[in-house]
Every structure is written in C-alpha cells, then in structure tokens.
Amino acid sequence: ARYRRSVLGPFWIVIGTAVGVVGLSFIWSGLLKVDRETFVPMLAVGLVVWQFIAGCVTESPSAFTRNAAVMRNLKTPYLIFPLQLLLRHLINFAHNIVVVIVVLIIFPPPLGISQLLIIPGILLLLGNLFWIAILFGMLGARFRDLEQTIGVLIPLMFFLSPVLYRPDQLGLMEKFIWLNPFTYMISLIRDPILGFAPAPFVYLVSAGTLLAGWWVTLWLY
C-alpha cells in the first residue's frame, strides 16, 4: 500500500540500500585501507542486517501507542502489534537481500558448510527482536520519552556496531565491541553468509539473551 502507483514499488527500498552500499564502500574502503573485494560484501551484509535491526528497535516504543485506537475498539491480541512491526521490517529485509545477492555474485565468498549457520542465526535474531519489540512497546507506552531517546542513540550505535568493519579488525579494542549487543546480532547473520563460522560464545550469548529477555518480557507483560 505504501508504494502503490509508483513505478518500481517496494524496490525503491532496494535502490536506497544499493546507493548506500556503493557510496559507503567508495569512501570507507579507502579510509580503512581495505580492498573492495573484502570490504563491499562485508558492508552490504552488515548494512542490510543493521537496517533490519535498527528499524525494529527504533519503532518498538510506539508499537502499542500508535495502535491505541485499535486496541480500545477491537478485541485483538496485544502481541499482534509487535509481531506486525517485526514482519513489516522482515519484508523490507527480504527486499534488501537482493542487494546482498548481487554483491555476492560480483564478489563471491568461499562456499562451505558455514552458510548453513544462517538458519539458526536468523532464528535467534528474530526471537530476540520480537521480545525487544514487546518490551520496548510496553515501556514506550508508559515512558513516552523512550521513543525519542532511542531515536537519538541509534545513529550513534551505527558507528559503535561492526557494520563498517569486523570486530577482529579492531585489534586491542575488539573486546569492547562485544559489549554491544548489536555486535552479536550482526555476527549471527553476516559471518555465515561470508563463509565464516561465528565463535561459539556468539551463540551462547544470543541464546542466553533470548531466554532472559523473554522471561523478563513475559513477566512484565
């Protein structure tokens, strides 16, 4: 419905992402002194995953408040609104995968069994984003400043998250990047796509966050 009567329709999403990948790769590959065969696939996957994560997190505080009229007038499960938010951004994510496919055709990664780890990675990512959407939705309904606070912090987190780089490229600073929860979310998807198996602690932390996050969210719900 958003792109009705436009020529390209939802593929305007793809064009925006493709322009971002081309522009950022042209500038940052030179600044970081990384060859484009390595940098462009890393950036493309990282940027697409980041857009998915950032979109879900940014809109989560308003998941219930924007549907207040529906909640007051229709008898419907409350959790359908965070689920709707997650699915909407998942559709955008699926469109942006086109950019990743094109980049991987131009700069093919090594193929192996590591690519199969995408499946548990995407399941862990979706599970964590779902409870975040519910939790932030409840907190945002009570504390209206949460939406603006997250909106201010997300652009900063873009540079503090390994979108433009891999954690192992930071040297002594690598241990600090793992204090960022977005690092685990990005690694779950990007590393398998590029032919690397994420470290076991990435799955352990992500699974622990999934269990703890759902426990707190359901208790508060």
Side-chain angles (χ1 to χ4, degrees), residues 3-4 6-13:
Y3 294 95
R4 187 172 58 182
S6 66
V7 177
L8 296 178
F11 281 96
W12 278 111
I13 303 171

Side-chain angles (χ1 to χ4, degrees), residues 79-100:
L79 296 185
I80 197 172
F81 302 110
L83 180 60
Q84 183 186 46
L85 184 153
L86 182 64
L87 290 177
R88 184 172 69 252
H89 285 284
L90 187 60
I91 291 172
N92 292 343
F93 176 72
H95 279 89
N96 283 329
I97 286 295
V98 173
V99 177
V100 175

Side-chain angles (χ1 to χ4, degrees), residues 35-134:
D35 60 277
R36 288 184 182 154
E37 291 77 10
T38 301
F39 185 80
V40 175
M42 179 186 69
L43 172 64
V45 181
L47 187 61
V48 168
V49 175
W50 170 257
Q51 289 178 339
F52 177 48
I53 296 170
C56 291
V57 173
T58 302
E59 294 188 24
S60 291
S62 61
F64 294 122
T65 56
R66 291 184 180 179
N67 295 282
V70 178
M71 296 170 67
R72 292 192 185 102
N73 292 283
L74 294 177
K75 187 177 182 181
T76 182
Y78 294 151
L79 296 185
I80 197 172
F81 302 110
L83 180 60
Q84 183 186 46
L85 184 153
L86 182 64
L87 290 177
R88 184 172 69 252
H89 285 284
L90 187 60
I91 291 172
N92 292 343
F93 176 72
H95 279 89
N96 283 329
I97 286 295
V98 173
V99 177
V100 175
I101 293 173
V102 172
V103 169
L104 295 182
I105 291 175
I106 299 173
F107 305 106
L111 298 178
I113 197 171
S114 298
Q115 270 83 17
L116 296 177
L117 295 174
I118 298 171
I119 298 174
I122 194 69
L123 292 176
L124 284 170
L125 177 61
L126 292 175
N128 277 305
L129 287 177
F130 193 23
W131 72 256
I132 289 173
I134 299 170

